[in-house]
Structures are given as C-alpha cells and as structure tokens.
Amino acid sequence: MAKLTEEMMHEILAPIAAGQDIAQAAYGIKQPNILYMLPFFALAIVPGVLMTQKLTKHYIVGLTSSHILVAEVAPKWSTLAVAVDSVKSAQAIALAGLRGKAVRGESGAIFTNIAFPHDSGQFTARFHRAFSRTNRPAAVAIGKAVVAAAG
C-alpha cells in the first residue's frame, strides 16, 4: 500500500459513516507516557524506540454533520511510508453526546490536540501538521466541531 492519502482515510471511515458524507479526515497518534518509556531508553536507544513504536496508537478521525468517526488502525511496518495494515476498531460518536462534557481542541505550531470522552473511555490524539497537506486544516476543523458540540 502506498502512503496513506485523504482518499484512503475516507475509504477506511466510510463503513462507520452510516451513509453520511465525510467532511474532514485526519491522521493522528497517541504516544505512551514518557515515564513508561524511560526504563527502555535507559537500557539502550533501540529498545526505547521499538517500545515507543509498539505502544503508540494510530488513529484516523473523521467528521460528518452529526458524528465524529474514530478508526484505530494498525500500521504496516514493512513499508517506510505510513500505510495501514488493518483497522483494529471503529466507532461513530454523536456530536450531540458531547454537550456539556470536558473536551479539548487546541492547535499549536506543530500539533493539533483533540480530546473528548465517549462510551468506552477518553479519546486523545495528536495530529501533526506535516503528515499531509490537508492534515492540519482537517484536524483543526474536527477540533473546532468537538469544542462547538460541547457548547
């Protein structure tokens, strides 16, 4: 598979969109806490890097008119480009269900951070602006939609 494109992200999210048009799609990650990783980096750099990669979660997040779509994907490690091997889990979270909840949608110079609660826990991910040409605008739009839905 070639590098993950916006069209590929839309294809991955389509089964959980329930017939709705996907307005935005972005790729993000959630890395483990650095305190978990320090012992591995203390042993050597290579084990620390390998454990960080194994424990990092990869997400494709989409936005429709009424839902946030979240797909956790498994990366394809045999390629140098970011490619998806499989979809681990997928869910649609109603924007209306975020009303009054503690959410976060912040944009910095490099990352856009999005966090919100849902039925199976807290979703948190970072979206890097350099992933693709459309990743930052899409992540910012999704973050604004989450914040607006929380009211």
Side-chain angles (χ1 to χ4, degrees):
M1 178 182 271
K3 181 179 177 183
L4 189 61
T5 63
E6 189 170 0
E7 292 79 26
M8 290 176 185
M9 289 190 279
H10 281 260
E11 287 176 20
I12 290 169
L13 294 171
I16 57 172
Q20 300 180 49
D21 288 334
I22 300 170
Q24 305 288 340
Y27 171 80
I29 62 169
K30 180 180 181 184
Q31 291 182 311
N33 187 321
I34 191 67
L35 296 178
Y36 294 131
M37 305 316 304
L38 284 177
F40 293 104
F41 278 104
L43 291 172
I45 298 296
V46 173
V49 170
L50 292 175
M51 285 306 295
T52 300
Q53 288 300 322
K54 285 301 269 180
L55 295 176
T56 297
K57 295 181 180 182
H58 300 260
Y59 295 103
I60 296 174
V61 179
L63 175 67
T64 69
S65 59
S66 62
H67 288 83
I68 297 290
L69 312 171
V70 178
E72 184 179 350
V73 296
K76 192 174 220 174
W77 296 110
S78 61
T79 63
L80 294 176
V82 176
V84 174
D85 191 30
S86 64
V87 177
K88 289 182 175 181
S89 66
Q91 58 185 319
I93 296 114
L95 287 170
L98 299 177
R99 169 107 16 238
K101 305 245 173 113
V103 301
R104 193 175 76 209
E106 307 165 340
S107 293
I110 298 173
F111 291 105
T112 298
N113 297 304
I114 298 174
F116 55 86
H118 59 90
D119 295 338
S120 56
Q122 178 78 11
F123 173 81
T124 305
R126 302 176 92 187
F127 300 82
H128 199 289
R129 70 180 299 157
F131 175 74
S132 71
R133 201 175 308 153
T134 60
N135 206 52
R136 181 177 176 83
V140 169
I142 293 168
K144 285 181 180 178
V146 167
V147 170

